[in-house]
Amino acid sequence: MKHLFILLFTFNLCFSQSPYPQDYFRSPLDVTLVLSGSFAELRSNHFHSGLDIKTQQRTGLAVFAAAQGYVSRIKVSHYGYGKALYITHPNGYVTVYAHLEKFSPAIQKYVKDCQYQKETYEIELFPSPTELPISTNDLVAYSGNSGSSGGPHLHFEIRDNQERPINPMLFGLDVADNKSPVITDIYAYPKNRNSHIENSKSRKELRLIPLQNGDYTSEPVEAFGDIGFGIAGYDQQDLANNKNGISNIQAFYNGAKRYEMDFKRFSFSETRHLNRFIDFEIYKDKRTRVQKLFVETGNTLSMLKDVENDGYITVEDSTNSVYKVRLRDYKGNESWLSIPIKGRPSKEVLEAPEIKPNTYILANQSNELEKENIKVYFPKQTFYDNFHIDFNVRNDTLKLHRDIIPLNKTYTITYDIANYANDEKDKLFIASLYGYYQRPSYISTKRIGDKLSARTKSLGTFALTRDSVSPTIKPLNFQDGQWLSKLNELKVKIDDDLSGISNYRATINGKWILMEYEYKKNTLTYDFEDGISKSTENNLKLIVTDNVGNNTTFEATFYRK
């Protein structure tokens, strides 16, 4: 009985240490694992849901099934994951392989048959468990750079049976890493008007002091009341210079744990709260993601653990205390930051009254703003906090604060275009203006009668914009009347410099052909192996339409034997 107890205790201990199978999933590539992106690192408006594995700066590496299962989902899109494959495994997990160049021959045929049947490049398929069975080590695809990828790599995920992404490193995948995380910035935040830091009631950047042992400290801070902190940093692996995300952050006050953020697993429904987790204003102004070590209203991230008093500390008069932060990467390398704090009441300082816009937004109710021909509707809980919003309209240009406020939901902008001539109305769209020169960027715009509306999740400056110029089409590797017997594919460049490409349709001798759209290069590619071109003389017709309906038709004749 004693030995049985020890055995059960050992089993439970091991299970608690690693609840994920360690030898079930193999690496999806037969190369040394080097990462360009780590799990749950902070990206624009979302946490990264997998590992970005480097593919030696090239496409076409063989991608293998990480374990036995079946292809349960295939998605091909211009943006996002590009060409992506989902494999469901008997143990309930799903592996995801994204930004692919192409699928293995059997899967590629399955996808192309469906694309030709539905006459569409973008497609989402859900094969049955018996249609595309997969064994461990099966070739399933080739690595690529499709979708919104910033360079050749394989995006690899492991999800549980609730579609929650989990750090694949927890399943035994190994990446060489002997480097400790790096801390780059530290900020202190008074919780309310009764608190201060260095006699200021506003956020304050602290001077970071690196120590010889690799840890950090700051100069002593005078503070009083409820105080929070925010930190920015990154991690690096041995074989790459990429600045990747931290795996775990813990904070302690006088030795007692007050906060933990553990980046092991999250759900896609909560990833939108990233902008509440970081200091959104600093990110927009400096492109630095400061992670708040305190929890504000609306931050319901499941990765938070052991949070006391919402992560704030209470600094009392005439006290000396220490706030410490520990940053860890997945391999257990860690860095410490120590902040000495002296408790001092605020000195009486007359603060200049803050000049605020007149319009006040209440976060817990819907808000509607209207001026001239523009109406803005914010649903309830679009924002996390109440605030004074800068709302101004001038000559069809809408100024809606600065884009420094994080949003929880999308809202609607509506323009009344009744005063425009009928021949102009079809060419109008709503654009956000960005950059120093305030260039227009198309927002998906709908028209009902004399009303144009668009939904967005960012504040900023918007304008009613007119696009009357049709897209351009240019053949890249052929000319009208040319013999193309030695070519494997047709390449065409398409472009639209204002509202952007909405759709395209290509035929050869009246039959629809599959042309793959690579928006990063503005190219369409047709593979002659598809077998549509069977005649000696072939007539190509391509129609490209932009987002307000302007279209261009290109026609050419080519010959093949």
Side-chain angles (χ1 to χ4, degrees):
M1 180 64 71
K2 178 179 179 181
H3 294 293
L4 178 60
F5 175 80
I6 294 174
L7 180 63
L8 290 173
F9 176 80
T10 303
F11 174 80
N12 289 332
L13 179 61
C14 292
F15 184 80
S16 64
Q17 291 176 336
S18 181
Y20 305 104
Q22 296 301 292
D23 300 314
Y24 193 88
F25 295 111
R26 58 153 287 174
S27 169
L29 296 174
D30 277 346
V31 297
T32 301
L33 288 186
V34 181
L35 303 184
S36 59
S38 59
F39 181 80
E41 69 182 18
L42 313 181
R43 300 285 181 88
S44 294
N45 303 314
H46 69 285
F47 294 98
H48 188 231
S49 56
L51 302 179
D52 283 347
I53 305 173
K54 293 196 173 192
T55 56
Q56 303 168 344
Q57 299 181 336
R58 59 194 175 100
T59 62
L61 270 62
V63 177
F64 301 97
Q68 176 190 358
Y70 69 94
V71 176
S72 55
R73 182 184 177 194
I74 305 167
K75 188 172 183 180
V76 179
S77 57
H78 299 145
Y79 309 102
Y81 281 2
K83 296 179 182 178
L85 191 70
Y86 301 71
I87 298 177
T88 296
H89 304 280
N91 62 358
Y93 291 103
V94 175
T95 51
V96 183
Y97 316 75
H99 304 307
L100 303 170
E101 179 182 57
K102 60 182 178 180
F103 305 107
S104 64
I107 300 173
Q108 187 81 355
K109 183 181 184 306
Y110 179 91
V111 173
K112 276 201 173 184
D113 286 347
C114 294
Q115 288 173 316
Y116 270 98
Q117 180 182 354
K118 298 184 179 182
E119 295 191 354
T120 178
Y121 171 69
E122 290 194 299
I123 198 167
E124 187 170 15
L125 305 170
F126 297 91
S128 69
T130 59
E131 285 185 281
L132 294 171
I134 297 293
S135 298
T136 306
N137 300 323
D138 275 359
L139 173 71
V140 294
Y142 295 90
S143 67
N145 187 29
S146 61
S148 300
S149 169
H153 73 279
L154 175 69
H155 175 89
F156 178 68
E157 296 179 19
I158 298 179
R159 301 181 184 180
D160 64 15
N161 57 11
Q162 298 180 49
E163 282 292 301
R164 294 176 298 186
I166 305 169
N167 189 349
M169 305 280 283
L170 294 168
F171 294 83
L173 273 69
D174 191 36
V175 175
D177 184 359
N178 292 287
K179 299 179 181 180
S180 297
V182 175
I183 301 173
T184 59
D185 302 272
I186 181 72
Y187 288 82
Y189 297 78
K191 182 180 181 181
N192 50 47
R193 305 299 293 175
N194 297 320
S195 308
H196 83 90
I197 299 155
E198 297 292 343
N199 209 39
S200 171
K201 299 184 184 301
S202 302
R203 174 189 63 211
K204 183 174 180 60
E205 183 174 8
L206 307 181
R207 189 167 77 89
L208 195 63
I209 304 173
L211 302 176
Q212 290 186 348
N213 65 354
D215 290 333
Y216 302 82
T217 188
S218 73
E219 289 185 332
V221 177
E222 288 193 355
F224 184 80
D226 289 341
I227 304 297
F229 291 90
I231 194 166
Y234 61 88
D235 185 49
Q236 291 180 306
Q237 287 83 44
D238 292 355
L239 303 177
N241 293 323
N242 304 83
K243 295 180 179 180
N244 300 135
I246 307 298
S247 181
N248 183 277
I249 304 175
Q250 296 178 343
F252 305 84
Y253 186 49
N254 292 332
K257 185 177 179 183
R258 305 301 297 268
Y259 174 97
E260 182 174 358
M261 186 73 169
D262 194 15
F263 299 94
K264 286 183 179 178
R265 182 186 69 190
F266 63 88
S267 64
F268 289 106
S269 62
E270 63 179 323
T271 192
R272 68 184 186 275
H273 296 308
L274 177 143
N275 289 336
R276 184 60 162 172
F277 168 58
I278 65 172
D279 189 317
F280 193 68
E281 181 176 1
I282 291 179
Y283 170 65
K284 284 295 182 176
D285 287 341
K286 299 183 178 181
R287 312 311 289 180
T288 298
R289 293 185 174 97
V290 175
Q291 303 172 64
K292 298 174 185 174
L293 308 184
F294 53 94
V295 182
E296 296 172 297
T297 304
N299 180 358
T300 57
L301 294 172
S302 62
M303 294 175 283
L304 291 166
K305 297 170 57 179
D306 301 333
V307 178
E308 295 291 333
N309 192 34
D310 291 331
Y312 291 97
I313 63 170
T314 301
V315 180
E316 298 179 347
D317 185 17
S318 302
T319 58
N320 290 286
S321 52
V322 178
Y323 184 86
K324 290 191 174 185
V325 183
R326 174 166 60 189
L327 273 65
R328 283 178 172 172
D329 62 23
Y330 176 76
K331 297 300 285 288
N333 304 301
E334 61 181 39
S335 298
W336 283 87
L337 165 67
S338 297
I339 304 174
I341 304 172
K342 297 180 180 179
R344 296 285 187 275
S346 176
K347 298 177 183 178
E348 288 296 327
V349 175
L350 293 176
E351 298 183 0
E354 185 177 357
I355 300 175
K356 298 179 178 179
N358 292 326
T359 306
Y360 194 64
I361 296 292
L362 295 173
N364 63 351
Q365 69 179 44
S366 62
N367 297 265
E368 189 169 270
L369 311 177
E370 187 171 5
K371 188 175 182 181
E372 298 180 12
N373 62 325
I374 302 176
K375 181 184 296 185
V376 181
Y377 175 73
F378 298 111
K380 180 180 179 181
Q381 295 178 340
T382 297
F383 301 100
Y384 293 99
D385 297 313
N386 303 337
F387 73 105
H388 292 270
I389 192 169
D390 183 7
F391 170 68
N392 191 27
V393 173
R394 184 178 181 182
N395 297 331
D396 284 337
T397 297
L398 165 66
K399 183 179 180 182
L400 205 54
H401 215 79
R402 290 177 58 219
D403 185 20
I404 58 172
I405 306 293
L407 274 66
N408 183 39
K409 295 180 179 179
T410 58
Y411 66 95
T412 304
I413 300 171
T414 302
Y415 276 77
D416 188 327
I417 58 172
N419 291 332
Y420 279 82
N422 289 330
D423 60 346
E424 287 187 300
K425 292 177 181 178
D426 288 339
K427 306 303 179 184
L428 297 173
F429 67 94
I430 300 173
S432 63
L433 304 183
Y434 68 96
Y436 179 80
Y437 295 103
Q438 293 287 276
R439 301 185 186 278
S441 177
Y442 175 81
I443 304 176
S444 182
T445 304
K446 295 182 179 180
R447 179 185 172 189
I448 299 178
D450 286 335
K451 300 293 177 62
L452 287 183
S453 64
R455 300 182 68 193
T456 182
K457 203 176 179 181
S458 300
L459 299 177
T461 304
F462 305 87
L464 199 58
T465 307
R466 184 172 181 265
D467 182 2
S468 58
V469 180
S470 298
T472 60
I473 303 175
K474 179 182 179 182
L476 292 177
N477 65 344
F478 68 97
Q479 295 177 357
D480 185 28
Q482 188 176 358
W483 281 87
L484 306 179
S485 301
K486 295 183 179 180
L487 288 185
N488 296 321
E489 57 189 20
L490 287 177
K491 279 189 174 291
V492 178
K493 183 174 183 178
I494 62 174
D495 200 5
D496 188 84
D497 64 356
L498 195 51
S499 65
I501 302 296
S502 172
N503 58 73
Y504 60 90
R505 179 179 177 83
T507 59
I508 291 179
N509 299 331
K511 294 183 179 180
W512 183 86
I513 60 171
L514 175 67
M515 298 200 81
E516 297 194 5
Y517 179 39
E518 173 51 80
Y519 79 94
K520 296 188 289 289
K521 297 181 179 180
N522 296 320
T523 57
L524 293 175
T525 303
Y526 165 69
D527 189 341
F528 280 119
E529 287 188 2
D530 289 359
I532 302 301
S533 172
K534 297 180 179 179
S535 303
T536 301
E537 181 177 333
N538 298 274
N539 298 307
L540 170 67
K541 184 177 182 179
L542 172 62
I543 303 173
V544 180
T545 307
D546 67 18
N547 279 298
V548 297
N550 300 307
N551 64 75
T552 301
T553 300
F554 170 84
E555 295 188 76
T557 300
F558 63 88
Y559 302 91
R560 280 177 63 86
K561 286 185 178 180

